[in-house]
């Protein structure tokens, strides 16, 4: 037997199911952008496909690494949460239970390049102080215990806003805080109303101003932000743990996570979907990307929660409302922009708020809804109703595993409901748990097939009766002083789910049940008691006790089903010699057999009559025996006894395995002995280990070279596999090499082998509450050099696992390229009935014969034209299995495939979890239109129009400068398609100004010198100089900022009015730079109109967003472009956010720099796609202008070309050549990789 490590094999039986998560895992849960859900459970991490809710893999946690780049000691504080900034991947924050906030920014790879900022968020910590006092008084507390163990219900969580930079949401047990990292102060706080459970976590919606807060009592609250403020109001409260169908007490919700990956696809759906009426065009409420044609549906959001009973819950949150009519129109500027994008003219804003008719929604039983009227909004007024629907559930192990049972029915076992059909071995394993449930695992799918709530306490014994019934027991102690136990025995039918108790007594018993032993046919059951006789039961429909055996048994084991004899005899060995002797004496070695019908030697292997079964036993004094049960009779088997030296006096027999004609025993001294009951031959060896707790015979099929392989479980919770058919079993043992360090509670062999080439598989219940399948490699030298075909284990899936990120890398890249280039929807068709319901279904199945390029929407001018066909052939096996795209994403792709290459690129990026790249492709048409519009304004034909536009812009800026009172939010005519995640991709002047202006009212009530400095800076950036001067003049004389503020007030007032200028005081230049954070010099430059220099100084100081805001307010043309381009350089080189940098390069007109950045990142496919998208958008822009102008003007427009992307450019030619090489290399890699199906 081989014990060397081996790489993971996709066809291997090796698998693992984790135990349920608990509060000791501290709510560790994360969802990747590609849709893979990972959560901690015990000492392992489980990975689940969040869309289909199918378990993919379980990874045992490795030991912690030794290397450490940076370390921070927060003691005596308890760290509670760690989150990464959604706007800057270099930045993350950690918070403690008392609100101590640590802001960390990694500027490089060394410890010196780690920037730290410490801030205290004020909160009431009285409850925490009390818990600490109680913990210190407890004798079980430990200073090294984690916070999750010391304070399991006191949780502090934080989350970065996905829409507003520097904004963070923090939840203390009974308080919600909105915190501004830039101002280092709380903007808003709200206490929980009475009756609400403590906060568990906070989840900001990526596309809407909503907060989803989970609570410890299993409920979910939804909070909405008031327009123009950072004030959040609770809208509704929903249930995350249905009251129907759950246990009492109800399971606890441990963690929740928002599916942000769906929001990018929703952006695509809202911008480009226009599904034509068809029989299948009804809105699917379970489809998060289907917004239909009704204006009621506002948003769909998927939420996933995990509970401590091993369940993963998939929820769909919907908000519906009747929008005001004024919100159904776009402003004139948006219409102009959208007209130049490659989108059908019929598309409108209504698609972003499309919904479903109430009567068309198929409601679930788990739907909870509530309504709230929002009437204070200055923009729209509408009624919103929130609904939460349970759309999926995954059951993993429900509790800590205590028992394991594997079915091994004999040929005499029959089906549960009668008949003469023999039962067969099924790929099921039953697990008894600490909570009293029985989980039945389908090992072919590595998933929990069903779960039964059987007992109120720990399941202490579990056995199969045939292959469709289970018998289990538990007991409870009535009184610790007087004794007495209530034993509960239950038979569970897997087919009907009915639990039937038997052996129900009226009074408590003196002794509890110790163990159960069921015969392989399922007809008989032995009930072992502690210090009491053993009962023998006939497990008929109504179980009947046959008799009681008052002997001091230590172990009892029924014989396993017999197997065919090997076709060839192995070389002499202890067991093989016994086999030959038993065959030679078949006719004479039968013990006391009164008749030929009861002969134990009827078969070649010495098996007894097919209607009788036997069990072996050992007594306290070491004596051995075999009893036979035939009908209602129990008699002595009278085996051939071994020599007297076989019985050991130094060790009590603690384990036994019995398969006719061999009995294998283990004692508490670590000795293994085996004995042939028909010949009396015996042998033994010492394992040099601790006492033996279990011995299990491995399954044997016809053609096996050995019948003596056993798995031995020791009392130290380790195991070994021995081949008793070898000359030296100890030298050929397999000593638990698969997962060192894991303790084993129970084990048994999986009885599904049908061929000698099938692997041996061990089922293991670990001390970490996990269930594992371990494939044992047998390296049999006696088999000779003949090749052996190995049966490949295929995992059963109830539905295809459509997760492209799990494909082999070459095949994943091939699928990505096919989706980018555009494939016709008919290619996704399969013979499945579900897929035939898609609106793009075309009768017939795509064939792999012939020229597959016909399935491509178009062959791009770049690259090799033959490559798409070859990639389609490579992906054909996945297409046939339906593993390309799931139903929802395939329908979305069908609606956008002809909307231009940019949206296809965005879709492909979203499918593979590249959300920043997808947002870049979505913004690319708007950025290029912004650039081309600037070229158009420079032409002579547009002088008049340009002047009018300039006058409008100057008037708007002047009105903002001279405005009085509060700054308006500027969002009255805001495009809803630029909100949510798209805020991070803003580049146009009005968008940058509106985003900055909307933040001004949030800080109006803040006090303190630092806050005033930041507020002045904000007001000047948005052009509200009068408000800035008024704020500066409120500085008291004793303030250290008085002279600096006075100087700025004098300079700024000269740009507003003479009356303000007269309030100026004398200037002391040295006071202008008294603090490092002072931006007085920049403000003076603004006062004299030197905005370009002011932006440069802001960028030098690292205030990149402020510089962009200032430029958007005051600069135009090339001056504005220079600011954007320098900002893009910084984002690319310092923040390493290539997609945000690219959109700024495009908006600044630096297309050649954008292409160079993509090439420097070694992404040849992205560089080619970038050129294709830019050309297509450019052609659409020129075409729209030609249609809107006369011939002369159209000819003039055609002379505009994309700077740096024309055909004569050497870089463009190099990109095309490099892309062709990349395609050919990808084809070779795909051909060398075999398709892998989970």
């Amino acid at each position: 037997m081989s014990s060397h490590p081996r790489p993971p094999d996709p066809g291997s039986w090796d698998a693992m199911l984790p135990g349920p998560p608990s509060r000791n895992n501290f709510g560790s849960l994360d969802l990747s952008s590609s849709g893979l859900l990972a959560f901690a459970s015990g000492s392992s991490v489980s990975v689940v496909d969040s869309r289909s809710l199918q378990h993919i893999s379980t990874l045992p946690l490795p030991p912690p690494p030794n290397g450490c780049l940076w370390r921070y000691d927060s003691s005596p504080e308890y760290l509670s949460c760690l989150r990464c900034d959604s706007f800057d991947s270099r930045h993350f924050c950690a918070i403690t239970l008392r609100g101590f906030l640590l802001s960390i920014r990694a500027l490089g790879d060394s410890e010196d390049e780690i920037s730290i900022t410490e801030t205290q968020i004020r909160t009431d910590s009285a409850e925490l102080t009390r818990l600490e006092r109680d913990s210190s008084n407890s004798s079980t507390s430990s200073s090294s215990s984690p916070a999750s163990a010391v304070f399991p219900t006191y949780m502090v969580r934080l989350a970065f806003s996905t829409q507003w930079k520097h904004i963070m949401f923090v939840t203390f047990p009974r308080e919600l805080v909105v915190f501004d990292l830039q101002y280092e102060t709380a903007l808003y706080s709200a206490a929980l109303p009475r009756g609400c459970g403590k906060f568990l976590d906070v989840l900001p919606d990526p596309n809407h101003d909503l907060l989803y807060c989970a609570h410890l009592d299993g409920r979910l609250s939804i909070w909405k932000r008031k327009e123009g403020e950072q004030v959040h109001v609770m809208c509704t409260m929903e249930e995350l743990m249905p009251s129907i169908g759950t246990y009492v007490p109800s399971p606890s919700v441990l963690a929740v996570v928002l599916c942000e990956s769906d929001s990018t696809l929703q952006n695509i759906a809202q911008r480009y979907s226009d599904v034509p009426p068809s029989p299948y065009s009804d809105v699917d409420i379970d489809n998060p990307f289907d917004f239909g044609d009704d204006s009621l549906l506002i948003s769909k959001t998927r939420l996933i929660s995990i509970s401590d009973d091993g369940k993963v819950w998939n929820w769909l949150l919907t908000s519906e409302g009747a929008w005001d009519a004024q919100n159904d129109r776009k402003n004139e500027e948006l219409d102009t922009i959208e007209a130049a994008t490659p989108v059908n003219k019929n598309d409108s804003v209504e698609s972003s708020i499309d919904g479903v008719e109430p009567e068309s929604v198929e409601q679930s039983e788990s739907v909870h809804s509530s309504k709230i009227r929002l009437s204070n909004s200055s923009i729209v007024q509408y009624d919103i109703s929130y609904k939460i629907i349970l759309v999926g559930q995954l059951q993993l192990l429900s509790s800590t595993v205590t028992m394991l049972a594997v079915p091994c029915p004999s040929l005499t076992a029959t089906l549960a409901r009668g008949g003469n059909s023999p039962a067969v071995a099924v790929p099921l394993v039953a697990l008894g748990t600490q909570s009293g449930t029985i989980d039945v695992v389908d090992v072919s799918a590595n998933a929990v097939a069903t779960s039964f709530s059987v007992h109120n306490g720990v399941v202490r014994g579990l056995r199969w009766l045939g292959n469709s019934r289970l018998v289990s027991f538990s007991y409870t102690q009535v009184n610790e002083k007087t004794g007495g136990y209530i034993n509960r025995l239950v038979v569970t039918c897997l087919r009907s789910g009915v639990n039937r108790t038997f052996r129900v007594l009226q009074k408590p018993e003196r002794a509890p049940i110790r163990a159960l032993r069921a015969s392989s046919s399922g007809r008989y059951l032995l009930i072992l008691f502690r210090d009491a006789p053993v009962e023998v039961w006939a497990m008929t429909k109504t179980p009947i006790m046959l008799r009681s055996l008052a002997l001091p048994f230590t172990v009892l084991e029924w014989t396993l089903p017999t197997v065919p004899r090997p076709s060839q005899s192995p070389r002499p060995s202890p067991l093989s010699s016994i086999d030959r002797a038993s065959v030679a004496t078949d006719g004479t070695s039968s013990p006391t057999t009164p008749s030929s019908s009861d002969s134990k030697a009827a078969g070649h292997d010495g098996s007894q009559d097919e209607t009788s079964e036997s069990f072996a036993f050992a007594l306290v004094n070491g004596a051995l025996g075999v009893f036979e049960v035939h009908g209602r009779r129990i008699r002595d088997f009278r085996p051939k006894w071994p020599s007297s030296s076989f019985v050991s006096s130094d060790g009590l027999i603690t384990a036994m395995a019995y398969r006719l004609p061999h009995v294998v025993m283990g004692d508490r001294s670590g000795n293994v002995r085996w004995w042939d009951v028909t010949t009396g031959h015996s042998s033994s060896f010492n394992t040099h280990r601790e006492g033996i707790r279990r011995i299990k015979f491995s399954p044997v099929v016809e053609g096996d070279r050995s019948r003596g392989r056993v798995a031995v479980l020791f009392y130290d919770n380790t195991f070994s596999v021995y081949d008793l058919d070898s000359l030296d079993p100890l030298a050929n043992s397999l000593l638990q090499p698969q997962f060192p360090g894991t303790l084993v509670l129970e084990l048994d062999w999986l009885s599904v082998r049908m061929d000698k080439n099938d692997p041996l598989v061990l089922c293991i219940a670990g001390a970490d509450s996990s269930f594992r399948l371990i494939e044992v490699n047998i390296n049999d030298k006696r088999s000779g050099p003949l090749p052996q075909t190995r049966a490949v284990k295929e995992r059963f899936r109830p539905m295809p696992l459509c997760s492209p990120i799990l494909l082999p890398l070459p095949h994943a890249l091939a699928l990505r390229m096919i989706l980018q280039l555009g494939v016709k929807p008919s290619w996704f068709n399969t013979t499945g009935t579900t897929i035939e319901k898609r609106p793009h279904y075309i009768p017939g199945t795509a064939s792999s014969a012939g020229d597959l390029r016909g399935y491509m929407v178009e062959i791009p001018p770049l690259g090799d034209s033959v490559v798409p066909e070859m990639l389609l052939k490579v992906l054909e096996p996945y297409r046939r299995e339906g593993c390309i795209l799931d139903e929802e994403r395939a329908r979305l792709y069908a609606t956008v495939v002809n909307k231009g290459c940019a949206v296809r690129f965005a879709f492909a990026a979203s499918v593979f979890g590249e959300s920043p790249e997808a947002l870049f492709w979505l913004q690319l048409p708007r950025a290029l239109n912004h650039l081309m519009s600037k070229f158009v304004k420079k032409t002579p034909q547009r002088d008049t129009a340009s002047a009018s536009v300039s006058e409008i812009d100057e008037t708007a800026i002047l009105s903002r400068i001279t405005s009085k009172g509060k700054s308006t939010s500027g969002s009255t005519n805001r495009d809803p398609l630029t909100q949510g995640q798209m805020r991070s991709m803003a580049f146009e002047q009005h968008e940058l100004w509106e985003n900055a202006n909307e933040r001004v009212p949030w800080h109006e009530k803040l006090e303190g010198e630092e806050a005033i400095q930041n507020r002045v800076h904000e007001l000047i950036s948005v052009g509200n100089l009068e408000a800035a001067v008024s704020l500066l003049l409120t500085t008291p004389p004793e303030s250290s900022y008085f002279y600096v503020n006075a100087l700025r007030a004098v300079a700024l007032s000269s740009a507003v009015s003479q009356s303000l200028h007269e309030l100026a005081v004398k200037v002391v230049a040295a006071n202008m730079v008294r603090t490092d954070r002072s931006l007085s010099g920049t403000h003076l430059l603004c006062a004299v109109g030197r905005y370009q220099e002011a932006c440069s100084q802001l960028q030098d100081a690292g205030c990149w967003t402020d510089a962009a805001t200032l430029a958007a307010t005051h600069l135009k043309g090339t001056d504005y472009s220079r600011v954007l381009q320098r900002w893009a350089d910084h984002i690319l080189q310092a923040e390493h956010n290539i997609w945000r940098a690219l959109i700024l390069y495009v908006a600044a007109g630096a297309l050649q720099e954008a292409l160079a950045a993509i090439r420097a990142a070694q992404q040849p496919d992205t560089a080619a796609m970038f050129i294709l998208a830019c050309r297509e958008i450019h052609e659409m822009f020129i075409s729209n202008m030609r249609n809107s102008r006369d011939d002369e003007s159209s000819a003039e427009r055609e002379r505009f070309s994309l700077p740096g992307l024309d055909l004569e450019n050497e870089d463009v030619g190099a990109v095309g050549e490099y892309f062709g090489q990349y395609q050919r290399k990808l084809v070779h890699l795909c051909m060398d990789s075999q398709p892998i199906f989970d």
Side-chain angles (χ1 to χ4, degrees), residues 565-766:
R565 294 288 301 149
S567 57
Q568 299 178 358
S569 299
R571 67 182 182 181
S573 66
L575 279 185
S576 60
S577 61
I578 295 175
D579 295 339
R580 288 195 298 272
S582 64
V583 172
T585 58
D586 273 347
T588 59
S589 64
S590 174
T592 58
T593 29
S595 65
S596 59
S597 62
D598 296 330
S599 174
K600 314 300 184 297
H604 292 288
D605 57 356
S607 61
Q608 77 270 32
D609 178 17
E610 66 174 6
T611 60
S612 65
E613 295 180 87
S614 62
F615 61 89
F617 61 86
L619 303 180
V620 174
N621 60 1
L624 308 174
V626 179
F627 283 166
E628 182 184 67
V629 182
H630 184 87
R632 293 175 176 265
R633 295 178 297 170
I634 302 177
R635 56 195 177 190
D636 189 356
F637 187 81
R638 295 188 180 180
K640 182 70 175 179
W641 301 108
S643 61
S644 59
S645 62
F646 179 77
V647 179
S648 173
S649 60
D650 60 347
L652 183 71
I653 295 178
T654 55
M656 179 178 289
Y658 181 25
R659 181 167 62 202
L660 278 172
H662 305 121
V663 177
V664 182
M665 294 154 289
D667 59 32
R668 60 186 178 186
S669 299
N671 298 308
V672 175
R673 300 178 175 85
W674 61 99
W675 154 50
D676 189 319
V677 299
T678 60
T679 65
H681 294 178
S682 62
S683 185
S684 65
F685 71 93
N686 190 281
T687 61
H688 304 289
R689 307 281 291 277
E690 294 188 15
I692 297 173
R693 194 170 69 184
R694 295 281 186 274
I695 299 178
K696 297 292 183 178
F697 268 114
S698 69
V700 182
V701 296
E702 185 176 0
D704 271 343
R705 294 283 179 172
S706 173
R707 302 179 64 198
R709 297 189 186 98
V710 292
V712 178
L713 177 63
F714 299 95
Y715 274 108
D716 61 358
N717 297 110
T718 62
F719 75 92
S720 296
V721 179
Y722 300 100
D723 187 355
L724 304 182
D725 206 15
S726 63
L727 293 177
D728 189 354
L730 192 61
N732 293 280
S733 63
L734 178 65
L735 301 175
Q736 194 176 347
Q738 289 84 1
F739 47 103
T742 300
L743 301 180
V744 179
L745 296 182
E746 291 289 344
L747 59 76
D748 204 345
W749 296 95
L750 191 62
S751 305
V752 293
R753 291 185 72 214
M754 302 298 293
D755 185 82
K756 64 178 182 179
N757 294 324
D758 292 345
L760 293 173
V761 181
L762 266 177
C763 303
I764 289 177

Side-chain angles (χ1 to χ4, degrees), residues 129 138 304:
T129 302
S138 175
I304 293 180

Side-chain angles (χ1 to χ4, degrees), residues 1094-1161:
C1095 290
S1096 298
Q1097 284 194 6
L1098 285 173
Q1099 291 181 330
D1100 292 338
C1103 304
W1104 298 95
T1105 304
D1106 297 333
T1109 303
L1110 185 64
T1113 306
H1114 299 285
L1115 298 181
K1116 289 185 175 298
T1118 57
D1119 292 339
Y1120 180 65
S1121 297
R1122 278 196 295 268
V1123 175
L1124 291 185
Q1125 184 169 344
R1126 190 181 177 194
W1127 190 15
D1129 293 336
H1130 165 76
I1131 291 177
L1132 179 64
Q1133 298 167 9
E1135 298 183 9
H1136 309 291
N1137 188 343
I1138 185 175
W1139 305 111
R1140 176 61 172 147
L1142 288 178
I1143 206 67
L1144 293 176
Y1145 277 133
V1146 174
L1151 299 182
Q1152 196 163 0
E1153 286 75 5
L1155 184 61
I1158 299 175
R1159 296 184 64 189

Side-chain angles (χ1 to χ4, degrees), residues 984-1145:
S984 63
M985 290 289 178
F987 60 87
E988 293 198 28
Q989 292 175 271
H990 72 91
E991 292 177 343
L992 292 172
W993 184 85
E994 287 174 352
N995 289 340
N997 199 44
E998 188 165 352
R999 305 171 70 100
V1000 173
W1002 304 351
H1003 311 127
E1004 289 181 346
K1005 296 182 180 181
L1006 298 181
E1007 298 179 354
E1009 295 179 348
E1010 293 293 332
I1012 290 177
Q1013 299 300 311
N1014 288 327
R1015 288 178 57 195
V1016 169
H1017 182 61
E1018 271 187 336
L1019 292 170
I1020 294 177
S1021 297
V1022 299
N1024 195 343
L1025 300 184
E1026 184 176 6
V1029 171
S1030 300
L1031 184 60
L1032 288 170
L1033 292 178
T1034 61
T1035 306
E1038 62 273 10
S1039 171
S1040 59
Y1041 286 93
F1042 175 75
Y1043 296 104
V1044 177
N1045 291 351
L1047 172 62
R1048 286 186 289 168
V1050 169
L1052 291 172
S1053 63
S1054 63
V1056 180
S1057 67
Q1058 183 65 27
S1059 59
L1060 282 178
H1061 189 263
E1062 293 176 356
L1063 298 176
V1065 295
K1066 296 182 179 181
V1067 177
V1068 180
N1071 292 332
M1072 295 174 53
V1073 289
R1074 290 183 73 176
T1075 61
D1076 295 335
R1077 299 188 60 186
S1078 175
L1079 298 173
S1080 306
T1082 301
H1083 302 160
L1084 292 179
L1085 290 173
C1086 293
V1088 296
R1090 306 297 295 271
Y1091 299 109
Q1092 182 70 53
E1093 291 83 347
C1095 290
S1096 298
Q1097 284 194 6
L1098 285 173
Q1099 291 181 330
D1100 292 338
C1103 304
W1104 298 95
T1105 304
D1106 297 333
T1109 303
L1110 185 64
T1113 306
H1114 299 285
L1115 298 181
K1116 289 185 175 298
T1118 57
D1119 292 339
Y1120 180 65
S1121 297
R1122 278 196 295 268
V1123 175
L1124 291 185
Q1125 184 169 344
R1126 190 181 177 194
W1127 190 15
D1129 293 336
H1130 165 76
I1131 291 177
L1132 179 64
Q1133 298 167 9
E1135 298 183 9
H1136 309 291
N1137 188 343
I1138 185 175
W1139 305 111
R1140 176 61 172 147
L1142 288 178
I1143 206 67
L1144 293 176
Y1145 277 133

Side-chain angles (χ1 to χ4, degrees), residues 363-605:
Q363 297 290 348
S364 168
E365 292 182 359
S366 302
V367 176
H368 316 284
S369 64
S370 60
K371 292 189 176 182
I372 180 171
R373 182 173 183 84
L374 305 177
S375 58
N376 297 327
S377 173
S378 61
I379 301 175
V380 292
Q381 297 182 3
Y382 48 85
D383 291 332
I384 295 182
S385 64
Y386 298 95
K387 296 181 180 179
I388 182 169
I389 307 172
L390 180 62
V391 294
Q393 187 185 85
L394 173 64
Q395 172 70 68
L396 298 177
L397 300 184
S398 58
S399 182
T400 302
V401 177
T402 57
M403 296 300 300
L404 179 148
V406 178
C408 188
S410 66
L411 295 179
T412 59
T414 56
L415 298 180
R417 295 188 177 181
N420 296 321
S421 302
V424 296
V426 290
L428 299 176
V429 176
L431 302 174
T433 67
Q434 202 168 36
S435 64
T437 60
I438 297 177
D439 297 331
V440 180
V441 177
D442 183 353
V443 295
S444 63
N446 191 34
V448 176
T450 185
S451 184
F452 301 98
S453 180
V454 182
H455 299 274
N456 295 325
V458 180
V459 178
R460 303 182 182 273
L462 180 65
R463 284 294 184 269
W464 285 85
L465 300 175
N467 64 359
S468 61
R469 292 191 302 163
L470 292 167
V471 59
S472 59
F473 82 90
S474 64
Y475 63 79
T476 55
Q477 189 172 4
V478 178
N479 192 313
E480 295 183 359
K481 295 182 179 180
T482 61
Y485 296 86
I486 298 178
N487 295 308
R488 175 179 168 84
L489 284 155
V490 182
V491 175
T492 303
C493 179
L494 267 66
R495 301 179 187 275
S496 63
V498 175
N499 296 318
R500 296 182 181 273
T501 59
F502 69 100
R503 198 186 174 277
V504 179
L505 303 181
Q506 299 298 325
K507 296 181 179 181
E509 299 182 78
R510 179 178 60 85
I513 298 177
R514 178 161 60 97
L516 299 178
R517 295 294 182 264
S519 66
S520 58
S521 69
R523 295 179 178 180
Y524 304 107
L525 178 69
L526 301 176
I527 305 177
L528 286 72
F529 293 85
R530 187 185 303 169
D531 302 327
V534 172
E535 296 180 359
V536 184
W537 286 72
M539 299 306 294
T540 57
K541 186 175 182 180
T542 301
I544 303 172
M545 190 179 80
L546 301 181
R547 64 174 296 179
S548 177
L549 303 176
L551 292 174
F553 297 104
T554 58
V555 290
L556 289 168
E557 291 293 343
W558 289 93
T559 180
L560 294 174
T562 57
V563 296
R565 294 288 301 149
S567 57
Q568 299 178 358
S569 299
R571 67 182 182 181
S573 66
L575 279 185
S576 60
S577 61
I578 295 175
D579 295 339
R580 288 195 298 272
S582 64
V583 172
T585 58
D586 273 347
T588 59
S589 64
S590 174
T592 58
T593 29
S595 65
S596 59
S597 62
D598 296 330
S599 174
K600 314 300 184 297
H604 292 288
D605 57 356

